[in-house]
Amino acid sequence: MGLIDYKAEYNRWLEHVAEDQVLKELRGMDDAAIEDAFYQVLSCGTGGLRGIMGAGTNRMNRCTVQKASQGLANYMNAHYENPRIAISYDSRVNSEDFAKTASSVFAANGIKVYVYAELMPTPCLSFAVRELGCSAGIMITASHNPAEYNGYKVYGPDGCQITTETAGKILTEIEKLDVFTDVRRISWESA
């Protein structure tokens, strides 16, 4: 996805975000920080998203996780009958929260969700995807990146990272969405 009108997007976030911590971060940004956080949408890399955590479209946060999950849910519902997904997370900051955020979107879209109750390494996710007959899996991790990063890696029904072709199809679904109007989610406790 290309460059966006970062000031307009920043103002949309101020208008729609309800979390006090995120609003505080947004209000504390100077123009350079606003531009860096909003000039583009976080790009998809190998198998998914990875970026610095914080507020903005160019950051890893609940909004980017929700939008990615809605796009993946749309893809799964279009390509699988009775889709299921396994979700795992590592010990990075916000990993458990991002896993719960993603699960709430999948559940709201009628997808059966399996979330590990505690942090697990990637091989356990790959096993769960295959063992439970899932259509996909998500690992919340930024692998080898520095501590300020987190990520959202997508796995196929074979337990391996998705192919470039599949990633392109999922990205097409994600790019169609507005995070504030098009994402369906339920409270995690209901998932």
Side-chain angles (χ1 to χ4, degrees):
M1 188 166 219
L3 300 180
I4 58 178
D5 180 347
Y6 71 90
K7 288 183 180 181
E9 192 62 19
Y10 168 76
N11 287 324
R12 272 180 20 91
W13 277 55
L14 282 175
E15 189 178 310
H16 289 91
V17 171
E19 297 170 53
D20 290 338
Q21 181 179 345
V22 177
L23 284 172
K24 182 179 178 182
E25 182 180 349
L26 290 169
R27 291 180 180 135
M29 291 178 169
D30 62 17
D31 194 56
I34 293 168
E35 182 176 5
D36 189 54
F38 288 95
Y39 81 99
Q40 69 177 5
V41 173
L42 190 64
S43 62
C44 289
T46 306
L49 303 170
R50 188 175 301 135
I52 295 171
M53 289 180 280
T57 57
N58 192 32
R59 301 285 186 262
M60 279 297 299
N61 53 62
R62 284 184 182 161
C63 289
T64 55
V65 169
Q66 289 170 356
K67 187 174 178 180
S69 297
Q70 184 65 57
L72 179 54
N74 291 351
Y75 171 83
M76 291 172 66
N77 279 325
H79 289 85
Y80 298 96
E81 189 173 324
N82 302 314
R84 296 186 276 186
I85 191 164
I87 301 174
S88 184
Y89 56 94
D90 66 10
S91 61
R92 286 183 175 265
V93 174
N94 293 325
S95 286
E96 182 177 5
D97 180 53
F98 291 166
K100 289 177 178 180
T101 297
S103 71
S104 72
V105 173
F106 293 113
N109 283 275
I111 295 171
K112 175 81 172 169
V113 183
Y114 301 95
V115 182
Y116 274 103
E118 56 194 11
L119 61 95
M120 289 287 163
T122 302
C124 292
L125 174 73
S126 293
F127 172 80
V129 168
R130 292 186 315 271
E131 182 70 14
L132 299 170
C134 292
S135 313
I138 295 173
M139 180 69 196
I140 304 295
T141 182
S143 303
H144 60 281
N145 291 84
E148 63 270 16
Y149 283 73
N150 210 328
Y152 181 106
K153 295 173 86 174
V154 181
Y155 291 76
D158 59 357
C160 298
Q161 284 190 33
I162 56 172
T163 64
T164 303
E165 180 183 344
T166 300
K169 291 176 182 176
I170 294 168
L171 181 59
T172 297
E173 292 296 330
I174 294 169
E175 289 176 340
K176 293 177 186 176
L177 302 170
D178 179 290
V179 69
F180 299 118
T181 59
D182 298 332
V183 175
R184 293 183 296 278
R185 57 192 170 274
I186 59 173
S187 72
W188 195 80
E189 290 74 23
S190 304

